[in-house]
Amino acid sequence: MNEIGKGLSLGGVQGHNRHVILKTLHDIGNCSRKEISVATGLDQATITRAIGSLIDEGIVEEVGLSKGGRGRRSIHLDFCSKGRHILCLRLQRRSFSVAIFNLRGDPITSEEIPIPRGQPAEDIFENIVNIMQKRVARFKK
């Protein structure tokens, strides 16, 4: 007996479209809705709907105008430079680094903390957690 696979729900399709749009914006960088449409194959209405919610959520912002085809101006999009951040941890043998970036990948802060020789692993990880929680609390304000 053959099983018929279920398709994606509307939410699944919208989630997939958002993923494709965000990946394209990441790959291309600052670009217009039309450029995203051409690169992804999604129609402009789909792009406009998805971008609207991404703007409302503070993930994407309109960053300027450029001259488009037929004398029309295109509104360019990019990841938001404010509001949301990415917290990164880099573990090394003798130190660890904690950095915060905006969604465009621009560094906001970075700090390297040495790990003293002979320090128990539990203490090291407790220190890492405390430092990361302090960084998150500072940017929640």
Side-chain angles (χ1 to χ4, degrees), residues 33-138:
R33 288 168 176 82
K34 174 75 174 174
E35 290 169 311
I36 294 172
S37 176
V38 169
T40 62
L42 295 172
D43 64 56
Q44 286 191 21
T46 299
I47 302 292
T48 298
R49 276 192 304 277
I51 291 295
S53 67
L54 292 169
I55 288 172
D56 292 344
E57 294 170 27
I59 297 170
V60 172
E61 63 185 346
E62 295 177 334
V63 294
L65 298 171
S66 69
K67 194 167 191 173
R70 300 183 190 159
R72 293 184 177 183
R73 292 184 176 207
S74 295
I75 300 172
H76 275 241
L77 305 163
D78 204 345
F79 287 99
C80 284
S81 60
K82 297 178 182 171
R84 292 182 180 248
H85 299 90
I86 301 167
L87 177 66
C88 300
L89 171 67
R90 179 178 183 212
L91 293 173
Q92 300 175 83
R93 178 177 280 173
R94 298 281 174 232
S95 66
F96 64 93
S97 301
V98 177
I100 297 178
F101 297 86
N102 66 21
L103 293 181
R104 292 182 185 169
D106 303 323
I108 308 292
T109 66
S110 180
E111 180 180 8
E112 185 172 352
I113 297 96
I115 299 173
R117 287 185 180 267
Q119 186 176 26
E122 295 84 18
D123 293 348
I124 295 168
F125 287 111
E126 185 177 324
N127 190 24
I128 291 170
V129 168
N130 289 334
I131 288 172
M132 292 182 78
Q133 286 175 337
K134 286 177 186 174
R135 298 303 177 274
V136 168
R138 185 173 7 155

